[in-house]
DNA sequence: CGAATGCTGAAGCATTCACTTAAGTATCAT
DNA sequence: ATGATACTTAAGTGAATGCTTCAGCATTCG
């Protein structure tokens, strides 16, 4: 409740489903139509479209219709946003470890510093 | 349905909730007890524990109990796994763009291409 | 000891999710 | 125009999610 980042919610939620991740993987190899994306999956076209709606709401995928074919492509910018969130936390943790290491190294040869007596 | 990666499912699912992300952020600044993690949130302790269970099932967080206090810490390895999945897709996309660029450059002087004036 | 602390577990409940089927619309081919 | 293609929309269902409350159980403190 400290802060809100709707896009991040939607992005991770979108990536949490294996079918949607498979679609992202497919789209990373190039744009595709809805039925092309549906082909490898053993679910109804409707279900695929619903997954695509989740992906679009998350900003990970964009699509446009030409004639009767809707062509989908990934939005690498969004992919990078998610990547960066994780990277920032990870490096935050690594910085902490560094500080801890430095502290331990600095106090290695002064076991006790008259803290209380 | 082409392949299964349960840990990735659980990881992204875990990161999809703002409360859980907040807990991850907190844990990146150092280990914490359950009630410490609960403090910033306006939900019951039970709810927090349930979020922690999700985080642990995903492998993002590990915890151990000492006396009556359970201490939680993040598992940076898991964080890196999620980061890498995204990074791999993104670079896969970038490689594709590179190839496309090379192709376009190579065929620049070829017949009618229908480019904008 | 008994009370406070810190967590644990189970049940319940409203909402959301991941599908399904069925019926519809727009486009393209013949 | 007819039919096939490529979605689109709506409604429904069972399971999972995100909470809640209440009751329990060790551990630590006075």
């Amino acid at each position: 409740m400290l802060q809100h980042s709707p896009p991040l919610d939607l992005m991770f939620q979108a990536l949490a489903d294996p079918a949607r991740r498979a679609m992202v993987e497919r789209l990373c190899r190039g744009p595709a139509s809805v039925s092309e994306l549906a082909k490898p999956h053993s679910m109804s076209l409707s279900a695929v479209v619903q997954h695509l709606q989740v992906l679009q709401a998350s900003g990970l995928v964009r699509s446009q219709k030409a004639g009767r074919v809707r062509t989908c492509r990934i939005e690498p910018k969004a992919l990078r946003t998610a990547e960066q969130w994780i990277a920032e936390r990870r490096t935050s943790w690594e910085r902490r470890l560094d500080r801890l290491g430095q502290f331990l190294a600095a106090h290695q040869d002064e076991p006790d510093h008259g803290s209380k007596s």
Side-chain angles (χ1 to χ4, degrees), chain A:
Chain A
M1 289 279 205
L2 285 179
Q3 61 188 33
H4 241 311
S5 26
L8 222 41
D9 281 34
L10 297 177
M11 252 183 269
F12 284 128
Q13 183 68 39
L15 291 176
D17 186 286
R20 286 192 294 258
R21 279 201 309 279
M23 292 176 196
V24 167
E25 294 200 34
R26 167 63 189 81
L27 289 177
C28 280
R29 296 195 251 293
S33 72
V34 174
S35 33
E36 241 176 319
L37 283 171
K39 229 165 255 170
H41 300 278
S42 55
M43 63 176 89
S44 73
L45 184 65
S46 259
V48 170
V49 169
Q50 282 166 44
H51 279 303
L52 278 171
Q53 282 166 357
V54 172
L55 285 168
Q56 293 195 71
S58 78
L60 283 165
V61 166
R62 175 170 45 100
S63 79
Q64 56 196 5
K65 200 159 182 179
R68 60 186 166 174
V69 176
R70 175 170 299 278
T71 303
C72 308
R73 55 190 72 249
I74 61 149
E75 193 61 73
K77 225 164 129 182
L79 218 43
R80 196 179 269 279
T81 302
E83 189 184 351
Q84 272 180 355
W85 186 90
I86 304 181
E88 278 164 27
R89 306 317 139 201
R90 197 174 45 74
T91 59
S92 153
W93 184 82
E94 280 161 2
R95 269 199 308 278
R96 194 193 103 82
L97 267 203
D98 280 356
R99 286 196 305 273
L100 187 60
Q102 283 173 10
F103 176 84
L104 289 179
H107 293 248
Q108 203 166 11
D109 45 34
E110 48 177 299
D112 189 66
H113 202 283
S115 46
K116 61 155 98 170
S117 68

